[in-house]
Amino acid sequence: MLRIASNSISKGVARAAPRSFPRVTPHIGFHASSRKEEESKAVEPVSKGGLFGTGLSEWFALPVGITAAVPLIKYEWLVVNEETQLLAVFIAFCVTFYTQGGDAVYKAMDETAKTILKEHTEAEDKVIAAMEKKLEFLKANSNMVDDFEAINKIREEAYVNLNKAGKVKPQHDFKAQMEKAIAIIVQEEQNVAEKAKTALMEEATAAVTAEFGSSKELQKAALDSAIAKIKGTAKAGEDPVQATFIQFFKNKAADAAKSDDGSEAAAQRAALVHKLNATAKNEGFFFQLDANGQPKMVV
Protein backbone atom coordinates (compact mmCIF):
# COMPACT_ATOMS: atom_id res chain seq x y z
CA MET A 1 0.00 0.00 0.00
CA LEU A 2 2.78 2.40 0.80
CA ARG A 3 4.37 1.69 -2.59
CA ILE A 4 1.09 2.35 -4.46
CA ALA A 5 0.50 5.56 -2.47
CA SER A 6 3.99 6.80 -3.16
CA ASN A 7 3.64 6.11 -6.90
CA SER A 8 0.36 7.97 -7.11
CA ILE A 9 1.73 10.94 -5.22
CA SER A 10 4.81 11.13 -7.40
CA LYS A 11 2.74 10.96 -10.57
CA GLY A 12 0.46 13.71 -9.32
CA VAL A 13 3.40 15.89 -8.51
CA ALA A 14 4.91 15.25 -11.98
CA ARG A 15 1.67 16.21 -13.70
CA ALA A 16 1.27 19.38 -11.68
CA ALA A 17 4.87 20.49 -12.21
CA PRO A 18 4.58 21.87 -15.81
CA ARG A 19 1.46 23.82 -14.94
CA SER A 20 1.87 27.51 -14.32
CA PHE A 21 0.10 29.58 -11.79
CA PRO A 22 -2.26 32.23 -13.08
CA ARG A 23 -0.74 35.68 -13.38
CA VAL A 24 -1.92 38.26 -10.99
CA THR A 25 -1.76 41.82 -12.23
CA PRO A 26 -0.44 43.95 -9.37
CA HIS A 27 -2.56 46.93 -8.47
CA ILE A 28 -0.69 49.82 -6.88
CA GLY A 29 -2.49 52.88 -5.64
CA PHE A 30 -0.86 56.24 -5.00
CA HIS A 31 -2.24 59.09 -2.98
CA ALA A 32 -0.81 62.34 -1.67
CA SER A 33 -2.58 62.43 1.68
CA SER A 34 -0.59 61.92 4.89
CA ARG A 35 -0.50 58.42 6.24
CA LYS A 36 -2.59 57.89 9.30
CA GLU A 37 -0.97 56.82 12.52
CA GLU A 38 -2.99 53.61 12.52
CA GLU A 39 -1.81 52.75 9.00
CA SER A 40 1.82 53.41 9.91
CA LYS A 41 1.73 50.70 12.52
CA ALA A 42 2.65 47.26 11.25
CA VAL A 43 -0.11 44.71 11.64
CA GLU A 44 1.31 41.79 13.53
CA PRO A 45 -0.01 38.43 12.35
CA VAL A 46 -1.88 36.47 14.95
CA SER A 47 -0.40 33.01 15.39
CA LYS A 48 -2.99 30.26 15.62
CA GLY A 49 -0.50 27.78 17.06
CA GLY A 50 -0.47 24.10 16.31
CA LEU A 51 1.09 22.56 13.21
CA PHE A 52 2.85 25.30 11.22
CA GLY A 53 0.53 27.89 12.71
CA THR A 54 -2.59 26.27 11.17
CA GLY A 55 -4.28 25.54 14.44
CA LEU A 56 -4.15 21.79 13.81
CA SER A 57 -2.76 19.43 16.40
CA GLU A 58 0.94 18.80 16.23
CA TRP A 59 0.23 15.06 16.05
CA PHE A 60 -0.75 15.55 12.38
CA ALA A 61 2.96 16.02 11.72
CA LEU A 62 3.45 12.24 12.14
CA PRO A 63 1.29 11.04 9.21
CA VAL A 64 2.42 14.02 7.12
CA GLY A 65 6.03 13.15 7.80
CA ILE A 66 5.52 9.47 6.99
CA THR A 67 3.64 10.32 3.80
CA ALA A 68 6.35 12.74 2.72
CA ALA A 69 9.17 10.37 3.69
CA VAL A 70 7.98 7.48 1.49
CA PRO A 71 8.49 9.18 -1.93
CA LEU A 72 11.59 10.97 -0.69
CA ILE A 73 13.20 7.65 0.14
CA LYS A 74 11.63 5.84 -2.85
CA TYR A 75 13.06 8.17 -5.42
CA GLU A 76 16.28 8.64 -3.41
CA TRP A 77 15.63 12.33 -2.94
CA LEU A 78 16.64 11.67 0.65
CA VAL A 79 19.49 9.19 0.97
CA VAL A 80 19.41 7.38 4.31
CA ASN A 81 22.99 6.54 5.22
CA GLU A 82 25.29 6.87 8.19
CA GLU A 83 25.42 10.65 7.86
CA THR A 84 21.65 11.10 7.95
CA GLN A 85 21.44 8.67 10.85
CA LEU A 86 24.14 10.59 12.71
CA LEU A 87 22.24 13.81 11.94
CA ALA A 88 19.01 12.30 13.24
CA VAL A 89 20.73 11.12 16.40
CA PHE A 90 22.29 14.55 16.88
CA ILE A 91 18.95 16.28 16.35
CA ALA A 92 17.28 13.88 18.76
CA PHE A 93 20.01 14.55 21.28
CA CYS A 94 19.60 18.32 20.88
CA VAL A 95 15.82 18.11 21.21
CA THR A 96 16.07 15.84 24.25
CA PHE A 97 18.69 18.05 25.88
CA TYR A 98 16.63 21.18 25.16
CA THR A 99 13.39 19.74 26.52
CA GLN A 100 14.84 17.88 29.49
CA GLY A 101 17.93 19.86 30.56
CA GLY A 102 17.29 23.26 29.04
CA ASP A 103 15.58 24.57 32.13
CA ALA A 104 18.45 23.47 34.39
CA VAL A 105 21.04 25.03 32.08
CA TYR A 106 18.96 28.20 31.89
CA LYS A 107 18.68 28.40 35.66
CA ALA A 108 22.42 27.79 36.12
CA MET A 109 23.35 30.42 33.57
CA ASP A 110 20.71 32.80 34.88
CA GLU A 111 22.01 32.37 38.44
CA THR A 112 25.56 33.03 37.24
CA ALA A 113 24.34 36.08 35.35
CA LYS A 114 22.50 37.34 38.43
CA THR A 115 25.61 36.82 40.57
CA ILE A 116 27.77 38.69 38.06
CA LEU A 117 25.17 41.46 37.83
CA LYS A 118 25.01 41.72 41.62
CA GLU A 119 28.80 41.95 41.93
CA HIS A 120 28.92 44.48 39.13
CA THR A 121 26.15 46.52 40.80
CA GLU A 122 27.96 46.45 44.16
CA ALA A 123 31.19 47.56 42.48
CA GLU A 124 29.33 50.36 40.72
CA ASP A 125 27.71 51.40 44.02
CA LYS A 126 31.14 51.58 45.66
CA VAL A 127 32.50 53.61 42.77
CA ILE A 128 29.49 55.94 42.92
CA ALA A 129 29.88 56.35 46.70
CA ALA A 130 33.58 57.15 46.26
CA MET A 131 32.79 59.65 43.53
CA GLU A 132 30.12 61.27 45.71
CA LYS A 133 32.61 61.61 48.57
CA LYS A 134 35.14 63.10 46.18
CA LEU A 135 32.48 65.50 44.91
CA GLU A 136 31.65 66.56 48.47
CA PHE A 137 35.37 67.07 49.15
CA LEU A 138 35.75 69.17 46.02
CA LYS A 139 32.68 71.22 46.93
CA ALA A 140 34.05 71.75 50.44
CA ASN A 141 37.39 72.86 48.99
CA SER A 142 35.85 75.09 46.35
CA ASN A 143 36.60 78.17 48.50
CA MET A 144 40.15 77.07 49.30
CA VAL A 145 41.60 80.07 47.47
CA ASP A 146 39.62 82.49 49.64
CA ASP A 147 40.69 80.62 52.76
CA PHE A 148 44.36 80.83 51.82
CA GLU A 149 44.02 84.50 50.97
CA ALA A 150 42.47 85.12 54.40
CA ILE A 151 45.25 83.11 56.06
CA ASN A 152 47.92 85.09 54.22
CA LYS A 153 46.26 88.34 55.24
CA ILE A 154 46.15 87.25 58.88
CA ARG A 155 49.80 86.16 58.64
CA GLU A 156 50.85 89.55 57.28
CA GLU A 157 48.96 91.33 60.06
CA ALA A 158 50.58 89.02 62.62
CA TYR A 159 54.05 89.81 61.22
CA VAL A 160 53.32 93.53 61.43
CA ASN A 161 52.16 93.17 65.04
CA LEU A 162 55.21 91.05 65.86
CA ASN A 163 57.50 93.68 64.40
CA LYS A 164 55.80 96.33 66.50
CA ALA A 165 56.00 94.12 69.56
CA GLY A 166 59.66 93.40 68.78
CA LYS A 167 60.42 97.11 69.02
CA VAL A 168 58.57 97.54 72.31
CA LYS A 169 59.42 94.25 74.01
CA PRO A 170 63.08 95.07 74.81
CA GLN A 171 61.91 98.21 76.54
CA HIS A 172 59.45 96.22 78.64
CA ASP A 173 62.14 93.65 79.40
CA PHE A 174 64.62 96.38 80.39
CA LYS A 175 61.99 98.01 82.61
CA ALA A 176 61.25 94.67 84.29
CA GLN A 177 64.98 94.05 84.81
CA MET A 178 65.46 97.49 86.38
CA GLU A 179 62.48 96.97 88.67
CA LYS A 180 63.91 93.64 89.78
CA ALA A 181 67.35 95.18 90.41
CA ILE A 182 65.79 98.00 92.44
CA ALA A 183 63.78 95.47 94.43
CA ILE A 184 67.00 93.56 95.19
CA ILE A 185 68.71 96.80 96.30
CA VAL A 186 65.77 97.75 98.54
CA GLN A 187 65.67 94.30 100.08
CA GLU A 188 69.42 94.30 100.65
CA GLU A 189 69.29 97.75 102.30
CA GLN A 190 66.50 96.57 104.56
CA ASN A 191 68.52 93.53 105.51
CA VAL A 192 71.64 95.60 106.25
CA ALA A 193 69.62 98.12 108.27
CA GLU A 194 67.95 95.36 110.24
CA LYS A 195 71.28 93.72 110.97
CA ALA A 196 72.82 97.04 112.02
CA LYS A 197 69.83 97.83 114.23
CA THR A 198 69.99 94.44 115.89
CA ALA A 199 73.75 94.72 116.47
CA LEU A 200 73.41 98.29 117.81
CA MET A 201 70.63 97.29 120.24
CA GLU A 202 72.66 94.36 121.49
CA GLU A 203 75.68 96.59 121.98
CA ALA A 204 73.58 99.28 123.70
CA THR A 205 71.93 96.77 126.02
CA ALA A 206 75.28 95.31 126.99
CA ALA A 207 76.81 98.77 127.58
CA VAL A 208 73.88 100.09 129.66
CA THR A 209 73.74 96.87 131.68
CA ALA A 210 77.44 97.12 132.42
CA GLU A 211 77.15 100.78 133.37
CA PHE A 212 74.24 100.14 135.75
CA GLY A 213 76.08 97.21 137.25
CA SER A 214 79.11 99.32 138.11
CA SER A 215 77.29 102.46 139.40
CA LYS A 216 75.40 102.48 142.73
CA GLU A 217 73.90 105.88 141.93
CA LEU A 218 72.39 104.67 138.63
CA GLN A 219 70.96 101.61 140.35
CA LYS A 220 69.39 103.80 143.10
CA ALA A 221 68.05 106.25 140.53
CA ALA A 222 66.55 103.40 138.44
CA LEU A 223 64.94 101.93 141.56
CA ASP A 224 63.47 105.26 142.62
CA SER A 225 62.13 105.85 139.11
CA ALA A 226 60.49 102.45 139.05
CA ILE A 227 58.85 103.02 142.46
CA ALA A 228 57.62 106.43 141.32
CA LYS A 229 56.09 104.95 138.19
CA ILE A 230 54.33 102.36 140.31
CA LYS A 231 53.01 105.06 142.62
CA GLY A 232 52.18 107.34 139.72
CA THR A 233 54.30 110.22 140.92
CA ALA A 234 56.99 109.93 138.22
CA LYS A 235 57.69 112.94 136.05
CA ALA A 236 58.36 112.90 132.32
CA GLY A 237 62.04 112.80 131.43
CA GLU A 238 63.21 111.39 134.77
CA ASP A 239 63.81 107.78 133.55
CA PRO A 240 67.54 107.04 134.14
CA VAL A 241 67.47 103.90 131.96
CA GLN A 242 66.08 105.76 128.97
CA ALA A 243 68.52 108.61 129.54
CA THR A 244 71.42 106.18 129.65
CA PHE A 245 70.35 104.53 126.31
CA ILE A 246 69.98 107.96 124.68
CA GLN A 247 73.38 109.02 125.88
CA PHE A 248 74.89 105.77 124.52
CA PHE A 249 73.37 106.33 121.08
CA LYS A 250 74.67 109.94 121.05
CA ASN A 251 78.16 108.81 121.99
CA LYS A 252 77.99 106.02 119.39
CA ALA A 253 76.94 108.44 116.65
CA ALA A 254 79.75 110.85 117.57
CA ASP A 255 82.33 108.05 117.54
CA ALA A 256 81.01 106.76 114.18
CA ALA A 257 81.21 110.24 112.67
CA LYS A 258 84.83 110.60 113.81
CA SER A 259 85.97 107.12 112.68
CA ASP A 260 83.89 106.81 109.43
CA ASP A 261 86.37 106.26 106.57
CA GLY A 262 83.84 104.75 104.11
CA SER A 263 85.29 101.23 104.28
CA GLU A 264 82.08 99.70 105.69
CA ALA A 265 79.89 101.34 103.03
CA ALA A 266 82.33 100.25 100.32
CA ALA A 267 82.17 96.66 101.55
CA GLN A 268 78.39 96.73 101.59
CA ARG A 269 78.35 98.24 98.08
CA ALA A 270 80.74 95.58 96.77
CA ALA A 271 78.59 92.79 98.22
CA LEU A 272 75.46 94.33 96.70
CA VAL A 273 77.11 94.79 93.27
CA HIS A 274 78.30 91.18 93.31
CA LYS A 275 74.79 89.94 94.11
CA LEU A 276 73.21 92.12 91.39
CA ASN A 277 75.73 91.00 88.76
CA ALA A 278 75.13 87.33 89.63
CA THR A 279 71.37 87.82 89.22
CA ALA A 280 71.87 89.73 85.94
CA LYS A 281 74.06 86.98 84.52
CA ASN A 282 71.70 84.16 85.51
CA GLU A 283 68.59 85.88 84.16
CA GLY A 284 70.15 87.48 81.06
CA PHE A 285 69.87 91.15 81.98
CA PHE A 286 70.76 93.76 79.39
CA PHE A 287 73.22 95.41 81.84
CA GLN A 288 75.71 94.77 84.62
CA LEU A 289 77.17 96.99 87.34
CA ASP A 290 80.78 98.05 87.57
CA ALA A 291 82.77 98.40 90.80
CA ASN A 292 81.32 101.83 91.46
CA GLY A 293 77.74 100.60 91.00
CA GLN A 294 77.25 102.21 87.59
CA PRO A 295 75.18 100.16 85.08
CA LYS A 296 76.89 99.12 81.82
CA MET A 297 74.93 97.71 78.85
CA VAL A 298 76.05 94.30 77.65
CA VAL A 299 73.82 93.91 74.54
Side-chain angles (χ1 to χ4, degrees), residues 115-132:
T115 303
I116 295 173
L117 180 60
K118 182 179 179 181
E119 294 176 354
H120 184 69
T121 304
E122 292 177 353
E124 286 183 346
D125 292 339
K126 292 181 180 179
V127 172
I128 292 172
M131 295 299 291
E132 289 178 350

Side-chain angles (χ1 to χ4, degrees), residues 6-250:
S6 62
N7 289 332
S8 61
I9 291 172
S10 61
K11 290 178 181 180
V13 171
R15 287 194 303 268
R19 297 179 182 177
S20 61
F21 294 97
R23 295 182 61 185
V24 178
T25 304
H27 177 73
I28 302 175
F30 297 94
H31 57 86
S33 61
S34 60
R35 185 173 56 180
K36 295 182 179 180
E37 191 67 24
E38 291 81 1
E39 294 177 356
S40 63
K41 295 182 180 178
V43 179
E44 297 180 358
V46 180
S47 177
K48 297 180 180 180
L51 181 62
F52 301 120
T54 59
L56 299 176
S57 177
E58 295 178 353
W59 286 100
F60 284 97
L62 183 60
V64 171
I66 294 174
T67 304
V70 171
L72 292 176
I73 296 173
K74 169 68 177 177
Y75 294 102
E76 296 183 354
W77 292 343
L78 178 62
V79 180
V80 179
N81 53 13
E82 62 276 6
E83 293 179 355
T84 55
Q85 293 176 0
L86 182 61
L87 178 61
V89 173
F90 179 72
I91 293 173
F93 170 75
C94 292
V95 172
T96 304
F97 181 79
Y98 177 78
T99 56
Q100 301 299 324
D103 191 24
V105 174
Y106 168 76
K107 290 181 179 179
M109 296 182 68
D110 185 63
E111 185 177 358
T112 304
K114 289 181 179 179
T115 303
I116 295 173
L117 180 60
K118 182 179 179 181
E119 294 176 354
H120 184 69
T121 304
E122 292 177 353
E124 286 183 346
D125 292 339
K126 292 181 180 179
V127 172
I128 292 172
M131 295 299 291
E132 289 178 350
K133 290 183 179 179
K134 187 175 181 179
L135 179 60
E136 293 177 358
F137 177 76
L138 293 175
K139 288 182 178 179
N141 295 333
S142 60
N143 55 347
M144 186 180 297
V145 176
D146 297 335
D147 294 340
F148 277 108
E149 289 179 354
I151 292 172
N152 291 331
K153 185 176 180 180
I154 294 172
R155 185 185 294 113
E156 292 176 358
E157 293 177 355
Y159 286 155
V160 172
N161 294 330
L162 286 174
N163 291 330
K164 292 180 180 179
K167 295 178 180 179
V168 178
K169 188 175 183 302
Q171 299 177 5
H172 286 281
D173 293 341
F174 183 72
K175 178 176 178 293
Q177 294 171 6
M178 290 298 296
E179 289 177 352
K180 189 168 186 178
I182 293 172
I184 293 174
I185 294 172
V186 170
Q187 185 64 36
E188 192 68 19
E189 288 179 350
Q190 290 178 356
N191 294 336
V192 171
E194 191 67 27
K195 289 179 181 179
K197 186 188 296 183
T198 302
L200 185 61
M201 288 301 298
E202 290 178 356
E203 184 180 358
T205 301
V208 171
T209 301
E211 187 174 355
F212 270 87
S214 61
S215 177
K216 298 291 185 179
E217 294 178 359
L218 291 175
Q219 293 177 3
K220 183 177 182 304
L223 181 61
D224 294 340
S225 177
I227 293 172
K229 287 181 179 181
I230 293 172
K231 290 181 178 180
T233 59
K235 297 180 180 180
E238 294 183 354
D239 189 356
V241 178
Q242 182 179 4
T244 305
F245 272 102
I246 293 173
Q247 187 62 37
F248 173 80
F249 288 134
K250 289 180 179 180

